[in-house]
Amino acid sequence: APLRGPMALQAVRGNALEFTPAQVRALLSAGLPGLTLIVGPPGTGKTDVAVQAVANLYHAHPTQTTLLLTHSNQALNQLFAKIVAAGNIHPRHLLRLGHGEEDLDAAADSARYSKAGRVESFLERRVELLQRVQLLAESLRVTGDFGYTCDSAQVLFVAHVRVRWDAYRRRHLTADAKPTAADLAAAFPFTAFFDSLLGRPLFAADSQPTTEDVIELATGCFAYLDDMFVELRELQPFELLPGARDRANYLLTNQARIVAMTCTHAAMNRNDLLRLGFRYDNVVIEEAAQILDVETLIPLCLQSSGDASSASRLKRLILIGDHNQLPPVVKHTAVRQYGLMDQSFFARMVRLGVP
């Protein structure tokens, strides 16, 4: 894991669950390209496996987007809430679409995961980070309103922050340098900023750190600064786009990496998603045994096939469910009995022994 220094909130939270050997095999299979079926009766931890599978894909493939689907809004909110509670996916990469998003937002207190809620959170986060940028500029005794826009913040990073860090690294962190811990702490250029941010001294006088401790702390502090400016670069389009609709569409197509919706929402909004150029690499479907064939297949066709890149973009399909539970609800008797429409795609694959 990357060093974060004293900024413990930036650390990736590890997995707190102990999975069984069968669940570990399911997780390994979910990480491989192709089709994966995860079958189990109620109470066997299928949802926990789904949460961990999504987190594994998120961290193993930083440039990929995962589409998360269920049959009902209630199940989707429960699954999404577990992903949020796990804490190993950055909130800025999570997005919940559909009518059930209001219930999720109401239950999530300050965290808002609908399109409107995410955009508002991004704008609030932008203000918070720009205030830190201005604090950083003042701690470096650099004059200028660097906390005005994301663009001016990048000027501070390139012209002052990166320059000071490179000079510090060349002078103290090369193989030939033999500095003491005190020398490293005294020369670190961002001490005043982190003292102010933490509300305590970064290098406590009574802690007596070793040289390795100071190097680790300094490296972690710069990693925090680097992440802060990377996040500001990602927030810059929300500063430039004029309207709420444009910002929400940009969020969906460029920012979100875990996009959750029901199969019904996917079917009803397929044309809009195609028009926006929505792209995704992995599909995870919970409650797959309760979903009709067509409801399973439509979410796989939300990407335009007009270019060669999208034709081969879908890499993984993960279906999770129990074919021994209730089948899909089909009210038309003839269609149900003679058309076998109450057999889900998930149950069909299980019957055929696929994969």
Side-chain angles (χ1 to χ4, degrees):
L3 299 174
R4 303 294 176 182
M7 314 311 295
L9 294 177
Q10 294 289 322
V12 176
R13 190 183 304 177
N15 173 47
L17 297 176
E18 183 175 347
F19 291 107
T20 66
Q23 290 173 329
V24 171
R25 289 194 297 271
L27 289 170
L28 291 174
S29 177
L32 299 175
L35 173 65
T36 296
L37 300 184
I38 300 178
V39 185
T44 54
K46 296 191 299 296
T47 302
D48 292 328
V49 171
V51 170
Q52 189 62 44
V54 170
N56 289 350
L57 293 174
Y58 173 83
H59 291 289
H61 306 283
T63 61
Q64 294 185 9
T65 300
T66 298
L67 183 61
L68 186 62
L69 300 123
T70 66
H71 180 62
S72 65
N73 279 306
Q74 182 181 5
L76 185 60
N77 285 346
Q78 290 174 350
L79 177 58
F80 198 86
K82 277 199 169 188
I83 292 174
V84 172
N88 46 23
I89 295 178
H90 199 289
R92 73 177 187 267
H93 292 144
L94 293 168
L95 179 62
R96 162 71 163 95
L97 301 179
H99 295 297
E101 63 191 17
E102 296 88 356
D103 297 332
L104 180 66
D105 282 355
D109 297 326
S110 60
R112 293 149 293 176
Y113 295 98
S114 61
K115 277 203 286 190
R118 283 286 84 203
V119 170
E120 188 176 347
S121 295
F122 279 140
L123 295 176
E124 292 174 357
R125 178 65 173 169
R126 168 187 167 274
V127 172
E128 177 186 348
L129 291 179
L130 288 178
Q131 289 174 346
R132 294 187 186 181
V133 167
Q134 190 60 35
L135 177 64
L136 176 61
E138 293 170 359
S139 71
L140 297 176
R141 301 189 178 185
V142 178
T143 57
D145 196 359
F146 294 101
Y148 183 64
T149 65
C150 295
D151 192 52
S152 61
Q154 297 305 320
V155 173
L156 177 70
F157 180 73
V158 173
H160 299 282
V161 176
R162 188 84 209 187
V163 170
R164 283 169 168 77
W165 172 253
D166 289 342
Y168 177 80
R169 189 174 55 181
R170 287 193 303 268
R171 190 179 186 91
H172 299 285
L173 302 184
T174 60
D176 298 331
K178 302 294 182 183
T180 64
D183 293 336
L184 287 170
F188 186 61
F190 310 114
T191 301
F193 170 73
F194 283 101
D195 286 350
S196 177
L197 194 63
L198 296 170
R200 60 175 175 80
L202 178 64
F203 301 104
D206 56 349
S207 61
Q208 298 181 344
T210 64
T211 300
E212 290 75 16
D213 291 337
V214 176
I215 291 175
E216 180 178 354
L217 193 58
T219 306
C221 286
F222 180 75
Y224 170 82
L225 292 175
D226 191 47
D227 285 351
M228 183 174 72
F229 285 98
V230 167
E231 188 173 352
L232 279 169
R233 283 197 296 272
E234 294 180 355
L235 292 174
Q236 189 170 16
F238 297 94
E239 180 180 85
L240 300 175
L241 291 170
R245 180 183 293 272
D246 293 332
R247 290 169 175 170
N249 290 338
Y250 179 86
L251 168 67
L252 172 63
T253 56
N254 294 275
Q255 187 77 20
R257 289 184 48 208
I258 309 296
V259 180
M261 65 183 78
T262 63
C263 293
T264 302
H265 181 86
M268 294 176 60
N269 294 273
R270 180 175 181 269
N271 289 336
D272 292 336
L273 294 172
L274 289 173
R275 178 179 53 82
L276 291 173
F278 178 52
R279 295 286 184 269
Y280 52 92
D281 305 270
N282 313 297
V283 175
V284 179
I285 303 181
E286 175 76 296
E287 293 185 330
Q290 301 178 32
I291 301 174
L292 295 171
D293 271 3
V294 66
E295 291 180 307
T296 304
L297 296 176
I298 287 178
L300 308 183
C301 305
L302 301 180
Q303 305 184 88
S304 173
S305 57
D307 56 277
S309 62
S310 62
S312 59
R313 184 176 178 111
L314 185 61
K315 300 172 180 63
R316 297 169 189 85
L317 172 60
I318 304 169
L319 303 178
I320 305 171
D322 180 12
H323 59 290
N324 294 316
Q325 287 185 270
L326 292 175
V329 177
V330 179
K331 294 184 178 180
H332 196 287
T333 305
V335 172
R336 181 178 66 249
Q337 292 182 351
Y338 302 109
L340 297 180
M341 284 291 291
D342 61 343
Q343 178 178 241
S344 64
F345 179 81
F346 181 85
R348 192 187 305 273
M349 293 297 101
V350 171
R351 280 185 57 224
L352 295 175
V354 178

